[in-house]
Amino acid sequence: MGRLPFIIAACVFIIAFDIYCFKAIVSVFKKWKPSTKKVFGILYWSYSFLLILGVFCGIYLNLFLTLRAIILVAFFLTVACKLAMLPFLVLDDLRRLFIKVFRKKQEATTAVPQDSTNGADQISRSEFLVKAGLVAAAVPLTSLSWGIISGAYDYQVRKVNLILPNLPKAFDGITMAQISDIHSGSFYNKTAVKGGVEMLLAEKPDFVFFTGDLVNNLTNEVRDYQDIFAKVKAPLGVYSSLGNHDYGDYYFGKESSPAKVKNLKDMVDVHKIMGYDLLMNENRRLKVDGEEIGILGIENWGMGRFPKYGKMELAVKNTDDLPVKLLLSHDPSHWRGEVLQKYPQIDAMFSGHTHGMQFGVRLKEYQWSPVQYIYKEWAGLYQEKQQQLYVNVGYGFLGYPGRVGVLPEITLFTLKRA
């Protein structure tokens, strides 16, 4: 696998980091008995090596989703806590280095004999800074643990009035739901996932959009949840598009191979089996009482390192006569990167992808997340001139198996004429 060197390098870094943290902790608790230190060392290193072994097993073995999730949770929390400690440990080492250099200069200028320092250059680690680091580590442990316990499946229904000036009268008041970024390979609670789908269905939308990332890496990740998401139905249909994770690029690499081609074919088949109308650089005409609007969908198109498989010129083909065009495009950077510049006929675009970084603040009148420094449009409704974009922060999660502040979203739009 092309990612094996990266995983090995990451593990070497983590072990080195572990050694650094272990020495810091042991140096502070000097009053521990030798037997206590020995037991602590055994437990500390056993946990670290089992965690690394678990990560390898989770990647390369077909483990149960629940077991994989437990390993991922433990790994993420452990790394987050140690990273919180790191600034305090580095600060203390810099302090010690400064004192040592200062003392050596002082000894040289005062000609103090080597044996008269009485071990003064043996500078012990500052208990205050190390203990402050341990307290700091408890902050992410507490908040991220709560995000896993409370936030991962705390689905929120967000209701949005979508004003479309050219909307045909027959569509005025019609409702449309959007979900995005399911990432079924991360789930570990089928009951909670089913509850979210039931929340969506309780809103009784007239049609539904799913804007990509059904899985993390491989199509077979959805097998345990396929029956749940197949329950998503609507009178006017369920329309879907692919996200950057749906192509298998992160597992097989960017180059084509028979296995990768089959994985994508399986993905297309899964959408069909679930009853989703997958739009791959194409469009559909949605008709109500003799009037029509266009639903367009493209393959993933993202700025920077993300793939540009989408072909807008195909998606807009034969839609000139439609008064309103709604576009499914997974990555919101596509809106500013291409749609605003070249396709003024697109009235509204629907995306996901950002997850709101699964961390931040999202209130009615204010929202913030670190992801806003990467994506200008990252959550909610945006408008530029007559064109609009809505970014859904996602149904599932990836990496960190929880959410803090930016909760999983089901969006319900009411289409309205100006």
Side-chain angles (χ1 to χ4, degrees):
M1 290 286 173
R3 53 189 175 163
L4 182 59
F6 171 78
I7 295 170
I8 292 174
C11 289
V12 170
F13 172 78
I14 289 167
I15 291 170
F17 194 23
D18 270 336
I19 293 170
Y20 188 54
C21 292
F22 177 77
K23 286 184 176 180
I25 294 169
V26 170
S27 69
V28 166
F29 296 100
K30 298 173 183 176
K31 294 181 180 180
W32 279 355
K33 295 178 181 178
S35 58
T36 305
K37 284 187 178 182
K38 185 177 180 180
V39 171
F40 174 75
I42 292 170
L43 292 175
Y44 184 96
W45 289 110
S46 297
Y47 175 78
S48 295
F49 283 114
L50 283 173
L51 202 56
I52 291 172
L53 179 64
V55 170
F56 273 93
C57 291
I59 293 170
Y60 293 107
L61 300 181
N62 189 24
L63 301 180
F64 291 112
L65 286 176
T66 303
L67 181 56
R68 287 213 315 263
I70 291 170
I71 293 168
L72 180 61
V73 169
F75 182 79
F76 189 91
L77 289 178
T78 302
V79 172
C81 291
K82 288 175 181 175
L83 284 175
M85 286 180 62
L86 183 61
F88 294 89
L89 303 185
V90 171
L91 180 63
D92 185 52
D93 279 338
L94 290 174
R95 178 195 67 82
R96 294 166 64 234
L97 179 63
F98 175 79
I99 293 173
K100 180 176 277 190
V101 170
F102 178 77
R103 284 183 179 173
K104 282 189 176 181
K105 283 185 178 180
Q106 194 177 43
E107 288 170 7
T109 56
T110 57
V112 178
Q114 180 68 28
D115 60 352
S116 66
T117 60
N118 197 26
D121 61 334
Q122 300 300 314
I123 305 159
S124 63
R125 190 177 288 270
S126 166
E127 288 193 24
F128 172 76
L129 283 173
V130 176
K131 288 181 177 178
L134 291 171
V135 172
V139 174
L141 178 64
T142 304
S143 61
L144 294 175
S145 297
W146 179 250
I148 294 167
I149 296 166
S150 174
Y153 300 102
D154 188 7
Y155 301 107
Q156 305 291 303
V157 177
R158 287 187 168 262
K159 297 187 177 182
V160 178
N161 288 328
L162 189 64
I163 310 298
L164 299 165
N166 299 320
L167 188 70
K169 190 175 181 181
F171 286 87
D172 192 17
I174 271 183
T175 58
M176 183 269 286
Q178 181 195 6
I179 56 173
S180 191
D181 298 84
I182 286 172
H183 287 288
S184 51
S186 298
F187 289 143
Y188 53 88
N189 188 333
K190 287 189 76 170
T191 302
V193 174
K194 184 180 177 184
V197 169
E198 289 170 351
M199 286 176 67
L200 185 157
L201 295 175
E203 298 296 333
K204 298 181 179 178
D206 295 299
F207 61 106
V208 177
F209 286 171
F210 167 58
T211 46
D213 277 0
L214 183 62
V215 298
N216 296 344
N217 294 302
L218 298 172
T219 301
N220 62 19
E221 293 169 5
V222 77
R223 63 173 180 256
D224 293 334
Y225 294 89
Q226 187 174 312
D227 57 332
I228 294 175
F229 290 106
K231 295 180 186 297
V232 177
K233 306 289 184 187
L236 298 178
V238 179
Y239 303 89
S240 61
S241 61
L242 297 181
N244 54 299
H245 283 266
D246 293 325
Y247 294 89
D249 289 354
Y250 302 114
Y251 187 85
F252 298 103
K254 292 185 178 180
E255 298 299 321
S256 182
S257 67
K260 186 178 177 182
V261 170
K262 183 182 184 303
N263 182 72
L264 183 57
K265 181 183 180 300
D266 291 343
M267 174 62 67
V268 173
D269 290 343
V270 164
H271 280 252
K272 199 173 295 183
I273 291 167
M274 293 194 304
Y276 294 11
D277 189 352
L278 179 61
L279 302 176
M280 299 179 71
N281 308 318
E282 53 193 318
N283 61 73
R284 302 286 185 266
R285 288 172 174 261
L286 194 61
K287 183 178 285 189
V288 174
D289 295 338
E291 295 185 297
E292 292 180 323
I293 63 172
I295 297 177
L296 294 67
I298 70 161
E299 295 190 61
N300 193 82
W301 194 106
M303 296 289 285
R305 64 187 177 87
F306 295 104
K308 292 179 173 61
Y309 297 127
K311 294 179 174 60
M312 280 294 293
E313 66 275 14
L314 299 179
V316 300
K317 198 172 181 179
N318 301 320
T319 61
D320 290 345
D321 62 310
L322 295 170
V324 167
K325 301 173 189 65
L326 309 179
L327 173 66
L328 285 76
S329 180
H330 175 72
D331 192 320
S333 67
H334 180 222
W335 190 60
R336 196 161 294 281
E338 185 180 47
V339 174
L340 289 177
Q341 299 176 34
K342 300 179 182 178
Y343 297 95
Q345 68 267 47
I346 300 299
D347 296 273
M349 178 173 133
F350 301 86
S351 300
H353 184 63
T354 71
H355 298 208
M357 204 174 266
Q358 298 167 212
F359 178 85
V361 178
R362 201 170 183 209
L363 306 175
K364 190 174 182 180
E365 302 295 334
Y366 174 79
Q367 60 183 25
W368 174 88
S369 168
V371 80
Q372 71 187 51
Y373 305 113
I374 304 171
Y375 289 92
K376 187 172 182 179
E377 293 83 23
W378 61 275
L381 187 64
Y382 302 86
Q383 182 163 352
E384 192 154 314
K385 295 181 180 178
Q386 297 301 312
Q387 293 181 278
Q388 298 181 75
L389 165 70
Y390 191 87
V391 184
N392 180 295
V393 297
Y395 188 92
F397 46 85
L398 181 68
Y400 167 51
R403 287 176 176 264
V404 178
V406 180
L407 299 174
E409 176 179 358
I410 299 163
T411 320
L412 185 72
F413 300 91
T414 300
L415 278 53
K416 291 183 176 291
R417 301 177 76 187

